[in-house]
Amino acid sequence: MRTIDWNDEAKSITLVDQTYLPKELKIIECDNLASICEAIRSLRVRGAPALAAAGGFGMALAVTLSSATSMEMLLKDLKVAGDTLKATRPTAINLAWAVNRILKATEDAYDLDSIQDIVISEALRIADDDVKINKAIGKHGHRLLEDGDRVMTHCNAGRMACVDWGTALGVIRSAVEKGKEIEVIACETRPLNQGGRITTWELMQDNIPVTLITDSMSGHVMKNGMVDKVIVGADRITQDVVFNKIGTYTHSVLAREHEIPFFVAAPVSTFDPNGWEETVKIEERDGDELRYMGGEQIAPANVRVYNPAFDATPMENITAIVTENGIFQPPFLLDEVIM
């Protein structure tokens, strides 16, 4: 099942609304730019590779709905639409990567119709490529996991974070596909519990044994020998750090303290070779995500909240990075990793 796709007949985007998981597998339709932007901001669609597909299909919506009567006007509309899409989630680089890839592809256009054809075709190619890339990450990465491993993961880096298969969970799926018995420990992942809500649901759908813990238990389970490996996804990888959902840095420090391998699985499109930790803006989420849960108030309504969505894990805490190009170990030379 593809978690996000383009409906060419209706000229709309269909996607799994992840805010309903695990209670309901609900498919929604986005038929204008505002609706896909809202879906991205509210995390109805989330995960770096899935955001690339959302960015591509968002551009397909923009080109379909534009009333431009000249190439110049249409390209201007696309630039505005691209800027709007990129602003929805500034930390996750895949979204901007997909928008920029489509804008570059339009340089080969020669009339209005060709622009539309190029944009839609490129958006579909981004989605198709994602599935192939994730399978390649799994093909390489499963070698890092041994039969009987207990693997801890954080947030959701499975098929719901991608078009299909997944990155970190894709490595686990590939290992299981090879006949290895793998058990997973999933951190709940505050503030939106994407590990508890989505990762556990995905693994249970695949009959892969999973145990849910709170984020603050990771040191306890590592100290007590319950974790053999840690594997996570990424939203942006710069020269010096890996940005991933808040809490990842803490797990990396604990893994290093307990001499547990810490792996990152991500496509090349997640790399920002010109970026450094200090150049990246970390998105802050609404404080009500911590004041309320499921509509119920769980903290004082007027309490001050600090709610960053991501943190930065330094390269020295990472044992290996897995991409579609293979497994890379320190020192991480990004130019070699993304070739």
Side-chain angles (χ1 to χ4, degrees):
M1 180 189 72
R2 292 202 168 192
T3 62
I4 180 169
D5 213 343
W6 175 252
N7 184 331
D8 197 53
E9 183 177 346
K11 304 300 181 187
S12 65
I13 305 168
T14 56
L15 57 90
V16 175
D17 187 336
Q18 297 183 42
T19 63
Y20 283 85
L21 292 172
K23 289 184 177 180
E24 180 183 354
L25 182 62
K26 182 174 182 176
I27 309 296
I28 62 172
E29 184 177 22
C30 297
D31 58 7
N32 57 69
L33 193 66
S35 63
I36 188 60
C37 286
E38 189 280 333
I40 294 169
R41 279 192 297 267
S42 61
L43 305 185
R44 300 183 194 281
V45 57
R46 45 143 297 278
L51 288 176
F57 291 144
M59 295 294 279
L61 274 179
V63 78
T64 300
L65 296 172
S66 174
S67 58
T69 56
S70 69
M71 285 183 61
E72 183 179 16
M73 290 173 60
L74 182 52
L75 291 173
K76 184 177 179 180
D77 284 352
L78 286 174
K79 176 67 166 58
V80 171
D83 289 343
T84 302
L85 285 162
K86 287 190 282 188
T88 58
R89 297 292 304 278
T91 309
I93 193 173
N94 298 63
L95 178 57
W97 169 85
V99 168
N100 293 338
R101 173 172 161 173
I102 284 180
L103 289 174
K104 182 171 179 57
T106 61
E107 294 174 1
D108 294 329
Y110 52 85
D111 61 17
L112 282 171
D113 289 340
S114 69
I115 293 177
Q116 180 165 317
D117 290 343
I118 287 170
V119 170
I120 294 174
S121 296
E122 196 68 17
L124 289 168
R125 193 172 295 113
I126 288 170
D128 290 343
D129 287 350
D130 180 62
V131 181
K132 297 173 185 175
I133 286 168
N134 290 333
K135 287 293 186 89
I137 290 172
K139 182 179 179 180
H140 296 302
H142 83 83
R143 300 199 301 269
L144 297 171
L145 305 184
E146 299 175 31
D147 187 29
D149 270 350
R150 293 159 297 182
V151 181
M152 194 179 86
T153 191
H154 188 66
C155 195
N156 173 259
R159 62 167 50 95
M160 288 297 157
C162 305
V163 178
D164 198 359
W165 199 248
T167 53
L169 291 195
V171 170
I172 292 170
R173 284 193 173 98
S174 295
V176 171
E177 198 175 59
K178 291 291 184 181
K180 300 174 186 178
E181 291 189 9
I182 305 293
E183 294 185 19
V184 179
I185 292 179
C187 298
E188 62 178 345
T189 319
R190 297 292 296 171
L192 289 180
N193 290 73
Q194 291 164 6
R197 291 189 305 106
I198 305 174
T199 294
T200 58
W201 176 82
E202 278 198 39
L203 292 170
M204 291 175 73
Q205 292 285 310
D206 287 349
N207 295 314
I208 297 174
V210 58
T211 300
L212 175 64
I213 65 170
T214 65
D215 293 353
S216 57
M217 291 180 189
S218 63
H220 170 77
V221 297
M222 290 183 195
K223 181 180 179 182
N224 284 281
M226 299 169 65
V227 178
D228 298 303
K229 312 276 175 62
V230 181
I231 186 165
V232 299
D235 287 274
R236 183 188 293 248
I237 300 174
T238 64
Q239 288 283 353
D240 54 343
V241 296
V242 171
F243 287 94
N244 195 48
K245 195 64 183 284
I246 189 75
T248 305
Y249 168 63
T250 304
H251 301 322
S252 77
V253 172
L254 289 165
R256 188 175 184 182
E257 172 68 20
H258 293 92
E259 299 181 343
I260 295 171
F262 188 96
F263 305 127
V264 174
V268 166
S269 57
T270 302
F271 286 77
D272 180 8
N274 298 317
W276 296 84
E277 180 179 359
E278 66 270 16
T279 66
V280 176
K281 176 183 177 182
I282 292 184
E283 167 194 345
E284 284 196 43
R285 304 293 301 172
D286 192 310
D288 279 349
E289 291 177 353
L290 292 184
R291 300 184 188 104
Y292 295 86
M293 181 174 289
E296 294 293 324
Q297 185 176 334
I298 59 173
N302 60 347
V303 67
R304 186 168 55 194
V305 171
Y306 176 53
N307 191 20
F310 306 96
D311 60 21
T313 297
M315 292 298 184
E316 55 264 31
N317 288 5
I318 296 168
T319 309
I321 296 175
V322 189
T323 78
E324 64 268 35
N325 293 338
I327 298 171
F328 298 87
Q329 296 173 324
F332 299 111
L333 304 175
L334 296 200
D335 288 342
E336 294 181 4
V337 174
I338 64 178
M339 283 182 61

